[in-house]
Amino acid sequence: MEEQPTITAAGSDRGAQETVETIFRIESPRIIAGVARIVRDVGIAEELAQDALVAALEQWPRDGVPDNPGAWLTATAKHRAIDLVRRRERYARKLEEVGRDLSLSAPHHVDEPSDPDDIDDDLLRLVFTACHPVLSAEARIALTLRLLGGLTTAEIARAYLTSEATVAQRIVRAKRTLAAKGVAFEVPYGPEREARLGSVLEIIYLVFNEGYAATAGDDLLRPALCEDALRLARVLAELMPKEPEVHALAALLELQASRTPARTSASGEPVLLRDQNRRRWNRMLIRRGFTALGRANAVAAGSPGPYALQAAIAACHAQAYAYEDTDWGQIATLYALLAARTPSPVVELNRAVAVSMAEGPGPALEIVDALSGEPALRDYHLLPSVRGDLLARLGRTEQARAEFERAAALARNERERELLAARARELGGA
């Protein structure tokens, strides 16, 4: 059996507990994916991952935090998975088939793909499994954000403006459905892969966005989620080289991720796009983004898809070496095309920002005011935030301050809340 990492002394019980929770949140997607490959059931895999968490909560405060906490959690969960498989006779055949997978004594070994079109990636298998068409679109999103994004039920509920009970039911039913239907834990082939592709791309994008601007919590960024999503997009682009939207999504994520070093200050406060030091943008990721966008355009047939349009918008920002050099007119045009392709109040809100820079705050305010009755934006903090900015630029200070105060009250991320409250104070707010 694989030896678990050595353990060092913990500073305190509370410190060990916080370490357990933080590491588990980061590592849980990989733990669940690795265990699911053994037990072939995402529901059981999540339970075994939780068992490993409980074991850590019991042992780490007493024995100290391991040198490699993620490896400790993964090893513990896999050991329990193997024990479970061995206890169940109905898994005996599967145990023999994946014997090399289960051998933790040779962790360096990787099975050769059984097909030239196959790929050995547990996280990608997890995404395709959670995006199976036997599940509703809402269930796919909730399950994947839970398993791959590491979001709590409460965070998913807040992100989609629904109740925790509804989200919890979707997740439980999704796991039961996958088990009842015997959905294979695999990356499918041919038409079945293509049928799930749109859902998979959406999920990868959602996971990246949760890392890029966390829905809730004390930190604006969750870099591990961005890295996982970016890696999955790159793998998928290699796997499906003739799919333009796959390359377009990879381009979008590369370009968005390039700004990460400049998006927060040394103490973690958000830095607005106009104030970012663009010399800190990652030029290598920008080059990768433009290369991926070029591939998307090369294999595209017809009008660009939604990810291609968003990648083109990100490219406009990447091309501007200073905020003042941004081609806002082109960005506004691209947002209009995106709104026509995939109508969304959030896209319209983003279009309003571009219009405000290209044509002035007046025309943009008309767009924003037309969105005020949209149910999907009722509790969306960026609506009053954008409106507050437009009102401030128009000299309507009192109204602007009230909008920023409302935005701060709606924000669920502590860093964003602080930024919006500061904007209100700058305008004379309490």
Side-chain angles (χ1 to χ4, degrees):
M1 299 293 286
E2 179 183 3
E3 292 185 4
Q4 293 183 350
T6 57
I7 295 177
T8 56
S12 66
D13 287 1
R14 179 59 185 167
Q17 182 176 347
E18 290 177 352
T19 299
V20 174
E21 294 170 351
T22 300
I23 294 299
F24 185 78
R25 188 178 180 96
I26 295 171
E27 297 291 338
S28 61
R30 296 180 185 85
I31 298 171
I32 294 169
V35 173
R37 188 176 186 183
I38 297 172
V39 299
R40 307 289 174 176
D41 184 308
V42 294
I44 293 175
E46 186 181 22
E47 291 174 5
L48 292 171
Q50 291 288 341
D51 286 346
L53 171 63
V54 172
L57 288 170
E58 292 174 349
Q59 295 182 38
W60 292 7
R62 181 188 68 234
D63 301 334
V65 178
D67 291 338
N68 190 333
W72 191 99
L73 288 166
T74 300
T76 300
K78 285 188 174 182
H79 292 164
R80 294 181 183 225
I82 293 170
D83 289 342
L84 176 64
V85 171
R86 286 172 175 163
R87 286 198 306 267
R88 295 187 175 185
E89 288 185 2
R90 63 191 178 95
Y91 282 114
R93 185 177 301 174
K94 293 182 181 179
L95 181 61
E96 182 179 353
E97 291 173 354
V98 296
R100 287 182 298 176
D101 252 8
L102 302 181
S103 179
L104 296 182
S105 61
H108 61 280
H109 177 77
V110 177
D111 287 339
E112 290 298 324
S114 58
D115 185 279
D117 199 28
D118 196 4
I119 190 161
D120 190 29
D121 191 297
D122 287 339
L123 280 177
L124 198 58
R125 287 188 181 94
L126 182 60
V127 175
F128 271 97
T129 301
C131 291
H132 197 281
V134 297
L135 304 178
S136 68
E138 293 83 1
R140 295 174 206 166
I141 292 171
L143 180 63
T144 311
L145 289 180
R146 170 69 175 169
L147 298 180
L148 192 71
L151 274 66
T152 65
T153 303
E155 288 170 342
I156 299 171
R158 286 195 296 266
Y160 285 89
L161 307 179
T162 187
S163 68
E164 290 186 43
T166 298
V167 171
Q169 288 176 354
R170 286 175 184 170
I171 293 172
V172 169
R173 289 172 182 168
K175 289 188 287 189
R176 288 176 179 169
T177 299
L178 291 175
K181 298 291 185 180
V183 173
F185 185 70
E186 64 182 9
V187 177
Y189 301 99
E192 188 178 355
R193 178 184 293 173
E194 295 173 5
R196 287 192 232 174
L197 181 59
S199 183
V200 168
L201 294 180
E202 180 183 13
I203 290 299
I204 292 174
Y205 188 37
L206 288 172
V207 170
F208 179 87
N209 281 341
E210 180 58 30
Y212 192 73
T215 302
D218 297 331
D219 299 317
L220 179 69
L221 307 178
R222 294 177 61 188
L225 289 184
C226 290
E227 290 168 7
D228 278 342
L230 190 51
R231 185 180 60 79
L232 289 173
R234 290 169 180 167
V235 168
L236 204 57
E238 294 297 323
L239 191 64
M240 308 181 74
K242 296 182 181 179
E243 291 289 341
E245 280 292 82
V246 173
H247 292 297
L249 176 63
L252 174 60
L253 302 194
E254 300 278 10
L255 293 169
Q256 293 285 73
S258 71
R259 304 180 204 164
T260 300
R263 292 188 63 238
T264 54
S265 67
S267 55
E269 287 90 359
V271 179
L272 297 176
L273 180 63
R274 66 169 179 255
D275 300 324
Q276 290 176 15
N277 179 358
R278 299 192 176 207
R279 289 190 296 275
R280 297 189 63 200
W281 286 8
N282 189 316
R283 307 313 297 184
M284 181 191 73
L285 292 180
I286 290 175
R287 288 193 295 272
R288 290 182 65 105
F290 277 105
T291 299
L293 186 56
R295 289 172 181 163
N297 293 333
V299 298
S303 58
Y307 294 115
L309 290 168
Q310 292 179 78
I313 291 169
C316 286
H317 289 294
Q319 286 174 323
Y321 284 94
Y323 184 75
E324 295 74 21
D325 299 332
T326 307
D327 189 347
W328 290 106
Q330 177 66 7
I331 292 175
T333 299
L334 289 168
Y335 269 123
L337 292 172
L338 182 60
R341 183 69 184 265
T342 55
S344 160
V346 174
V347 172
E348 275 295 289
L349 185 61
N350 283 317
R351 185 172 76 87
V353 174
V355 168
S356 76
M357 300 304 297
E359 303 176 22
L365 186 60
E366 295 179 8
I367 299 173
V368 172
D369 286 344
L371 296 171
S372 60
E374 285 284 347
L377 299 182
R378 182 181 57 190
D379 297 321
Y380 189 50
H381 67 288
L382 293 183
L383 177 62
S385 173
V386 171
R387 193 169 190 274
D389 184 70
L390 297 176
L391 290 168
R393 289 167 59 187
L394 289 168
R396 295 159 62 175
T397 305
E398 292 293 327
Q399 292 173 286
R401 184 181 67 212
E403 290 294 326
F404 281 122
E405 289 173 345
R406 178 168 171 259
L410 290 174
R412 298 183 292 273
N413 182 279
E414 186 61 31
R415 296 294 188 177
E416 286 189 297
R417 186 183 300 118
E418 292 171 356
L419 175 64
L420 293 165
R423 295 290 303 276
R425 289 193 296 271
E426 290 171 3
L427 296 170

